[in-house]
Structure formats: structure tokens, C-alpha cells
């Protein structure tokens, strides 16, 4: 339907010609302030486009008359930050771990820097704050260490990793006892392993597994289940389990064990970062 513009009887203002249920729309002009702001925005946009990087193209973008570039500012900030950190990083590189622990400035810098390095590289497996994750990712906030929790052992584990191709990698393998023990022996030794950490459901079965444990397991895990850090053999006399502490999970680990792998970080992170990470992990709560 064509619109019909006419004067409004009450205001004398011309209408737009649109009508809804007898209500006509007045053709009021925009407020002056709104128009001024609109025009100023256009001028601002054109000025910004001319002065700063703005228009992309197939080969780059317009650089702007001022030659301003955010990337250059960020790179300058990074250079300044690295220059400010250089003294600390040099100190960390030239100081052994015990010396870092005895220097409040280096210690504080290592803890803060190690926390950032941990979040970027380690938390995906070990969890935020080193809480660990199910499925073979050890918690780092307790005092239960597979390979030792003193500074040197933590540093070695971080630098060279576990069960990887590095020549200095931590390495050990638990044999698959499912092919060595019959079903009754597997059941009894599982119950005995449970008895090392908590009250077993079947004390008689656990006692039957004592001999199997002494013959097959004690050489690595210790007579009392205390573990052996030289071999990375876990402690069994507490209720901390790498692959689950339920009866079925323990039995499966004895019969067909899983073995975690950790990459070496020395080449990826560098000497200073590995030392900082060592100090941070040591401070999480379980360092010896």
C-alpha cells in the first residue's frame, strides 16, 4: 500500500505516511546532538584509518601515517621484561639447587616462574597445583614419590623424563604377572597388597598371598610395601594408588601393568626453566 504524507492536526508536523491502527508516525528530525555525534564518529573513523594500521589486503595491510604498530610495542615490552629477568636467570643458571633454596631472591623468582612454567607445560597431566589425575598421572602435593622427592631426584625426573628415548630417562618395567601366576595366586596376592594399606575383606586369603608377595613382589616393593625409589616401584602400604585402589584395579595392574611415560624437558625448556620448575614442584608440599 503506498504511503501518504500529510500534516498531523495536533502538532502540525509532517508524517511519514505510515499508520498502524489509526496511529500515525511523525517525521521528526533527529536531535542535533545525535547528528553531531554521528558526524564526529565518521570523522574519527576516517582519521583513524589514515593514521593507524586499518585496511587489510592480500599482501598485508595499510601501515598508517603515524607508523604505529602494536606488535612492535609488544616486542619492546618482551625485551624489557627479559632484560629485567636476566639477572635472576643468570643467577639461577650459575647456582646449584641448594644455593637457589638459600637465596631468598632467587628462590622467590624460581617459585613464581616455576608456577607459570608448570601451568603451561605440566598441569595438563598433573593437574592444576600438582593434584594429579586418574589414569597414571601422579599427584605432586603429597610425600609419595616414585623416583624420590629431594631436589636432585625431582630435577633428574623433570630434565630427562620417564620411559622415553632419552639415554638418561628414568626407566623400569613391572612384569605382567598374569602370565606367571595362576588365578588363585593372583587373587591372594591382590588381597595381600590390599592388606598392606587397609583392612582386607578376606584376611585368610590375604595371608595366603603373603608368600606370593614375598617371592614375586618384595624385591622391588619392599617387604612391608614401602616401595623403592631407585626402581620407581610405588609404595603399597598407604592408600595412594596410581592406577586406582579398588580390588579389580589392583588385580589388573598386577596381571597386566600399565606404565606411564613422561617426556624429557631439559631441551624444551632449558636449564633455567627446569631448575625453576624443580624448585616449584619441590615446594608443592611433598619435597624431601
Amino acid at each position: 500500500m503506498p504511503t501518504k504524507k500529510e500534516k498531523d492536526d495536533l502538532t502540525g508536523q509532517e508524517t511519514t505516511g505510515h499508520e498502524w491502527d489509526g496511529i500515525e508516525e511523525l517525521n521528526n528530525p533527529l536531535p542535533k546532538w545525535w547528528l553531531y555525534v554521528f558526524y564526529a564518529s565518521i570523522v574519527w573513523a576516517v582519521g583513524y584509518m589514515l593514521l593507524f594500521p586499518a585496511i587489510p589486503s592480500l599482501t598485508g595491510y595499510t601501515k598508517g601515517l603515524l607508523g604505529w604498530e602494536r606488535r612492535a610495542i609488544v616486542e619492546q615490552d618482551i625485551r624489557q621484561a627479559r632484560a629485567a629477568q636476566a639477572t635472576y636467570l643468570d643467577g639461577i643458571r650459575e647456582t646449584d639447587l641448594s644455593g637457589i633454596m638459600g637465596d631468598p631472591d632467587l628462590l622467590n623468582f624460581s617459585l613464581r616462574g616455576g608456577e607459570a612454567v608448570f601451568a603451561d607445560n605440566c598441569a595438563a597431566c598433573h593437574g592444576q597445583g600438582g593434584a594429579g589425575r586418574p589414569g597414571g598421572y601422579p599427584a605432586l602435593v603429597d610425600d609419595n614419590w616414585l623416583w624420590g622427592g629431594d631436589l636432585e631426584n625431582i630435577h633428574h625426573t623433570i630434565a630427562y623424563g620417564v620411559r622415553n628415548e632419552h639415554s638418561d630417562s628414568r626407566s623400569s618395567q613391572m612384569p605382567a604377572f598374569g602370565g606367571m601366576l595362576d588365578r588363585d595366586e593372583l587373587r591372594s596376592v591382590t588381597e595381600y597388597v590390599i592388606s598392606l594399606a587397609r583392612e582386607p575383606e578376606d584376611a585368610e586369603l590375604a595371608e595366603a598371598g603373603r608368600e606370593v608377595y614375598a617371592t614375586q613382589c618384595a624385591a622391588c616393593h619392599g617387604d612391608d610395601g614401602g616401595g623403592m625409589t631407585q626402581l620407581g616401584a610405588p609404595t603399597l602400604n598407604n592408600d595412594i594408588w596410581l592406577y586406582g585402589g579398588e580390588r579389580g584395579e589392583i588385580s589388573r595392574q598386577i596381571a597386566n601393568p600399565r606404565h606411564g611415560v613422561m617426556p624429557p624437558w631439559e631441551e624444551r625448556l632449558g636449564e633455567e626453566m627446569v631448575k625453576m620448575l624443580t624448585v616449584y614442584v619441590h615446594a608443592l608440599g611433598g619435597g624431601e
Side-chain angles (χ1 to χ4, degrees):
M1 176 183 293
T3 59
K4 181 181 178 182
K5 297 183 179 181
E6 52 187 28
K7 294 283 187 178
D8 178 62
D9 293 336
L10 295 177
T11 63
Q13 179 67 43
E14 185 182 56
T15 70
T16 62
H18 300 151
E19 180 182 334
W20 294 271
D21 295 333
I23 301 174
E24 295 181 327
E25 181 182 19
L26 300 182
N27 190 19
N28 287 319
L30 290 169
K32 295 294 184 182
W33 69 265
W34 195 99
L35 288 173
Y36 294 151
V37 171
F38 178 67
Y39 296 144
S41 299
I42 295 175
V43 173
W44 175 271
V46 172
Y48 190 99
M49 181 181 65
L50 294 175
L51 296 175
F52 297 97
I55 304 176
S57 66
L58 294 177
T59 58
Y61 54 90
T62 57
K63 306 300 182 182
L65 298 177
L66 297 180
W68 182 91
E69 187 178 6
R70 185 63 189 173
R71 182 184 297 274
I73 294 177
V74 171
E75 290 176 349
Q76 181 181 0
D77 290 343
I78 292 174
R79 287 194 297 270
Q80 292 175 346
R82 287 177 176 171
Q85 295 173 357
T87 301
Y88 295 103
L89 293 175
D90 290 343
I92 289 172
R93 183 172 55 255
E94 296 167 1
T95 307
D96 61 21
L97 290 167
S98 60
I100 293 173
M101 297 296 289
D103 187 314
D105 291 335
L106 292 182
L107 176 59
N108 184 62
F109 185 85
S110 296
L111 289 172
R112 301 288 77 79
E115 183 178 14
V117 175
F118 186 93
D120 289 341
N121 298 279
C122 313
C125 291
H126 291 285
Q128 291 294 336
R133 293 186 187 279
Y137 303 104
L140 305 176
V141 293
D142 54 37
D143 59 356
N144 193 56
W145 296 89
L146 291 174
W147 301 96
D150 60 79
L151 284 168
E152 295 300 330
N153 274 317
I154 294 173
H155 181 271
H156 187 100
T157 303
I158 294 172
Y160 307 118
V162 178
R163 300 186 189 93
N164 58 62
E165 296 180 355
H166 197 287
S167 59
D168 291 320
S169 168
R170 302 287 198 186
S171 180
S172 68
Q173 297 287 339
M174 175 178 168
F177 286 99
M180 302 165 61
L181 304 177
D182 60 34
R183 179 175 298 180
D184 290 338
E185 290 174 323
L186 184 59
R187 288 181 59 247
S188 65
V189 75
T190 297
E191 199 70 18
Y192 181 74
V193 169
I194 292 174
S195 75
L196 292 173
R198 60 181 185 267
E199 190 70 27
E201 291 184 5
D202 190 331
E204 184 177 345
L205 184 62
E207 185 60 30
R210 180 188 296 273
E211 183 177 350
V212 180
Y213 179 89
T215 303
Q216 304 290 347
C217 314
C220 293
H221 292 283
D223 293 336
D224 62 349
M228 186 178 297
T229 56
Q230 296 92 326
L231 300 176
T235 301
L236 304 177
N237 57 13
N238 56 30
D239 213 14
I240 300 173
W241 303 93
L242 192 57
Y243 292 101
E246 298 300 323
R247 179 172 282 93
E249 293 169 328
I250 295 173
S251 180
R252 282 193 294 272
Q253 186 64 14
I254 295 173
N256 187 26
R258 290 173 285 175
H259 300 98
V261 176
M262 174 179 167
W265 292 101
E266 184 181 49
E267 293 184 4
R268 302 188 192 193
L269 299 179
E271 180 183 359
E272 300 90 342
M273 295 298 180
V274 169
K275 283 185 175 180
M276 291 162 62
L277 193 53
T278 297
V279 171
Y280 173 73
V281 171
H282 182 268
L284 284 176
E288 297 174 1

